[in-house]
Amino acid sequence: GLKSSLFERLIATCRQNGWHEAIGMLKHQARMHQDLMKFPNEMFYNGELDILPGNKWQSSREQIFEAESENPIESLLSRRRLVFIDSNREDSAKLHRAEARLTADIVRTIKNKYGADFNKQTVGVIAPYRLQCSEIRGQIGIELAGLVTVDTVERFQGSERDIIIISFAVNYEHQLEQFFSSSGRGDLGEIGRASGRERV
């Protein structure tokens, strides 16, 4: 079946045959700040992942958002680099309009804070469904459409942005089961590996 990826099958074959010298695990990464790294490190790397030695930005404490801001989104973003925002359920399997509006509000908040420094490398938005990506693009509007990449996990893979926003658009429990398929890796694993420098 296709439940296990090619690499998972190769690893299983190596382990079954005792070919331990043929497999290894990534131990250092240079794409995420150490605060962001905590989540994928615990979920996918058994606590063995570390930042690349000498990469000072990965452990910096620089903060661009203000905790005392009157904008509640900016105040929330100032608290930590990894922020989860819960949203109410909607009656769709692949679309969450309220979450798309919130995503657009977050993008505009970041744009206002960055000002003239906001560019194509500043923000990326990832969603598991094309329908949700389309809704987010519509909510972001024409002004920011050329500066913000909104795409699925598969299409975004390999790209890098300073700030990553993930819109899960999960309304039903069975969707979570799909995300956590294949021993807890699945799409969430890919999202963890696509995380940007600033926050998710």
Side-chain angles (χ1 to χ4, degrees):
L2 298 177
K3 185 175 181 181
S4 298
S5 71
L6 172 62
F7 283 107
E8 286 176 312
R9 282 178 273 160
L10 287 171
I11 289 171
T13 299
C14 288
R15 286 181 175 152
Q16 288 170 1
N17 289 288
W19 303 335
H20 301 296
E21 71 284 353
I23 58 175
M25 189 176 79
L26 174 71
K27 298 289 180 118
H28 290 92
Q29 60 84 21
R31 300 188 71 184
M32 289 179 275
H33 190 279
Q34 64 180 3
D35 293 349
L36 284 185
M37 186 186 72
K38 289 178 183 177
F39 177 74
N41 194 21
E42 293 172 6
M43 290 294 295
F44 310 109
Y45 293 95
N46 301 318
E48 296 184 46
L49 188 62
D50 202 353
I51 62 174
L52 191 68
N55 271 17
K56 292 183 179 179
W57 71 264
Q58 287 186 273
S59 57
S60 71
R61 292 292 155 206
E62 180 184 1
Q63 177 57 264
I64 63 169
F65 299 105
E66 298 177 18
E68 305 303 320
S69 172
E70 293 182 4
N71 181 334
I73 293 175
E74 180 177 355
S75 180
L76 177 64
L77 294 177
S78 73
R79 297 177 196 167
R80 60 184 67 90
R81 290 178 185 272
L82 181 64
V83 177
F84 288 97
I85 303 174
D86 197 5
S87 55
N88 294 326
R89 177 180 157 180
E90 294 186 6
D91 293 326
S92 173
K94 297 184 177 181
L95 178 65
H96 198 300
R97 290 185 175 90
E99 196 171 289
R101 286 192 295 272
L102 176 59
T103 299
D105 287 343
I106 294 171
V107 170
R108 283 189 283 271
T109 297
I110 297 166
K111 169 67 170 71
N112 291 338
K113 194 64 184 179
Y114 272 70
D117 292 331
F118 191 93
N119 58 56
K120 291 182 178 181
Q121 294 301 312
T122 305
V123 176
V125 180
I126 300 174
Y129 309 113
R130 292 182 185 179
L131 190 60
Q132 184 71 0
C133 289
S134 179
E135 181 69 21
I136 292 169
R137 286 189 203 101
Q139 294 288 345
I140 287 175
I142 297 172
E143 178 191 352
L144 292 173
L147 293 175
V148 178
T149 300
V150 181
D151 223 329
T152 60
V153 179
E154 295 82 7
R155 293 184 178 197
F156 203 93
Q157 194 170 0
S159 297
E160 189 174 305
R161 300 293 185 274
D162 292 338
I163 299 172
I164 294 290
I165 302 170
I166 302 171
S167 175
F168 288 104
V170 170
N171 289 309
Y172 299 102
E173 189 173 332
H174 71 270
Q175 291 175 283
L176 289 175
E177 294 172 4
Q178 291 172 351
F179 286 146
F180 284 105
S181 66
S182 189
S183 303
R185 291 174 177 85
D187 287 345
L188 281 179
E190 297 303 324
I191 287 172
R193 287 186 278 276
S195 302
R197 292 186 180 183
E198 292 290 338
R199 56 178 47 73
V200 177

